[in-house]
Amino acid sequence: MNEIEILLEKEIDSDLGSRNKIEELYKNIDSNVSKVVMNFKGVEFMGRSFAQEYLNQKHSASFEVVEVNVPDDVQKLFNVILKLNGL
């Protein structure tokens, strides 16, 4: 199993606002990777558009994506978006 961990604070920022950044991040993940651990340690804010695009990219990814160290407010935002989209 080819697994990588991505520290979002380091790869993007502690303020996750631009949906373009997460699109770019997903596009740059090696095609041989089978599992990506998205580490939210240090993330202070996530905008709704970023969260929506993150979940869209996760849903269409060819690899497994799991989250760790997700702040409560970010998890709540994910839950709202998933519920609204019927996922």
Side-chain angles (χ1 to χ4, degrees):
M1 179 181 237
N2 192 2
E3 179 179 317
I4 62 169
E5 182 172 345
I6 296 174
L7 183 59
L8 290 169
E9 179 187 33
K10 181 180 175 201
E11 293 297 323
I12 298 177
D13 194 3
S14 63
D15 182 351
L16 305 176
S18 172
R19 69 184 319 134
N20 295 338
K21 296 287 186 181
I22 196 62
E23 284 181 61
E24 184 179 314
L25 181 69
Y26 268 91
K27 285 179 187 173
N28 290 327
I29 294 173
D30 189 307
S31 61
N32 294 323
V33 170
S34 59
K35 182 177 181 180
V36 174
V37 177
M38 294 288 188
N39 191 334
F40 284 79
K41 183 178 180 184
V43 170
E44 297 173 3
F45 171 80
M46 181 189 308
R48 185 181 173 98
S49 65
F50 183 98
Q52 178 72 54
E53 188 59 34
Y54 174 89
L55 293 171
N56 289 342
Q57 293 289 329
K58 177 182 177 178
H59 182 71
S60 62
S62 61
F63 43 83
E64 179 185 4
V65 179
V66 296
E67 294 86 16
V68 296
N69 300 315
V70 181
D72 288 343
D73 58 330
V74 170
Q75 187 61 57
K76 287 177 185 173
L77 183 55
F78 282 158
N79 293 344
V80 167
I81 292 169
L82 290 170
K83 186 175 181 180
L84 289 174
N85 292 327
L87 299 174

